[in-house]
Amino acid sequence: MRHFLYSLWALALFFGAMYLVWAYLLPFVLPFGLGVFLALIIDPAVDIMEHRWKIPRGLAVWTTLTALMIILGLLVIGIVGVVRIELEGIIASMPGYSERAQNTLLALGQSLGALRAQLPDGVQLALNEQVDAFYRGVNVWAGEILGAITALSALPGVLINLIITVVATFFFSRDKRVIGRFILSLLPPDWQGRVNSAKAEVFLAAIGVVKAQLSIMFVSTLLTVIFLNLFGSRYALTAGLLVGALDVLPVLGPGMVFLPWGLGEILAGDRFFGIWLLVFYAALTAVRQVIEPKLVGDRIGLHPLATLLALYLGLLIFGASGVVYGPLTVIILKAVVRSGLIPLFSYKRGAS
């Protein structure tokens, strides 16, 4: 009974600590958290340069990090340039879309003459006003994004956070052994081995789950860009990136792009393209629901049902960010249970 009560107390303390970390602590240490993540990403390349090529670790970290920043910088510059052009095209095309949508509604009203005769005189005017408001909203939204892209480089906060993240990555990667020994030295001796074991499992699985989420977002972006290019859309890259970014919100995210876009195209008179947008959205949602639990579960060593539960609870508690926080919490819980820090139940190493 005493063992059971201790396990419940430890479990409650664990979930309370995780909630405080995700909800309150993480925003204050986000650049350092990103630094740890980037350090883990570049660590294999740094280890190869250090051990196989006999390059000093500091120089290996600097070289790898510089190469990564150059590649990411060129990629971002190229993408931002294309997105800016496409957003300018969206803004320019809004008046035409609005006019065509009003004509479609007018034609629909004329074809339903008997029904239209029974409606109040102001219904058609109200419909036209709503269509105008929708397309004005899209126009404003595109303009805001375009303005944000233009002003992003001028934001000192972004630049400061970027510098802190890069510097933190350098030191975390270069001094990882010293930092690890220092943190372990703060713990009781009988905890050090368990924490060291849990740390290795958590880091590997955490990298796995983040890679899995990025893979899902990449698949959504790639499929969207391919689909839109097949239909000759001028906004394929912008829409694909937006779908990929919103894909952190399962089901709802891509729908925030495809549902209004598809209905807008139908109202604007292009029923064929509008219907295909809605069909593609349904297919993309089905693909995501199939691959997400399996892909994330494989990365963290959990059954897809357990992964799905972690994703659902994470979304319920933390919102969109819970897609990452939920699985990470399960990763950490599994690691501390396996290490014996929380003797919740008899756990055999290698079990899922």
Side-chain angles (χ1 to χ4, degrees), residues 68-80:
L68 179 63
M69 291 299 103
I70 291 174
I71 293 172
L72 290 178
L74 293 175
L75 187 62
V76 168
I77 290 173
I79 291 175
V80 166

Side-chain angles (χ1 to χ4, degrees), residues 175-187 192 199:
D175 302 327
K176 68 171 186 176
R177 300 180 185 92
V178 175
I179 295 172
R181 287 195 297 267
F182 170 74
I183 294 175
L184 287 177
S185 69
L186 301 176
L187 302 173
Q192 293 183 8
K199 177 195 70 174

Side-chain angles (χ1 to χ4, degrees), residues 235-270:
Y235 319 118
L237 182 59
T238 299
L241 291 173
L242 185 59
V243 168
L246 292 174
D247 203 44
V248 72
L249 296 169
V251 181
L252 177 63
M256 295 171 67
V257 175
F258 288 113
L259 290 177
W261 191 4
L263 294 175
E265 290 288 352
I266 292 173
L267 288 176
D270 195 347

Side-chain angles (χ1 to χ4, degrees), residues 121-141:
D121 294 336
V123 169
Q124 187 65 47
L125 179 61
L127 287 174
N128 287 341
E129 289 177 351
Q130 290 300 315
V131 170
D132 270 340
F134 169 75
Y135 284 106
R136 283 198 303 269
V138 174
N139 195 19
V140 171
W141 165 82

Side-chain angles (χ1 to χ4, degrees), residues 161-209:
N161 285 330
L162 179 61
I163 293 174
I164 292 174
T165 299
V166 172
V167 174
T169 301
F170 175 81
F171 286 112
F172 278 131
S173 182
R174 191 194 68 175
D175 302 327
K176 68 171 186 176
R177 300 180 185 92
V178 175
I179 295 172
R181 287 195 297 267
F182 170 74
I183 294 175
L184 287 177
S185 69
L186 301 176
L187 302 173
D190 56 335
W191 278 40
Q192 293 183 8
R194 297 176 181 180
V195 171
N196 199 38
S197 174
K199 177 195 70 174
E201 182 173 346
V202 167
F203 281 165
L204 289 175
I207 289 294
V209 73

Side-chain angles (χ1 to χ4, degrees), residues 276-331:
W276 268 109
L277 284 171
L278 300 178
V279 170
F280 177 76
Y281 162 60
L284 186 64
T285 301
V287 169
R288 195 191 197 285
Q289 296 306 306
V290 170
I291 67 173
E292 182 178 34
K294 184 69 170 65
L295 185 57
V296 177
D298 286 346
R299 295 283 188 177
I300 64 179
L302 288 176
H303 190 278
L305 186 60
T307 307
L308 192 61
L309 179 62
L311 291 168
Y312 172 74
L313 292 177
L315 281 168
L316 196 65
I317 297 172
F318 297 108
S321 56
V323 173
V324 175
Y325 296 163
L328 285 181
T329 300
V330 174
I331 289 169

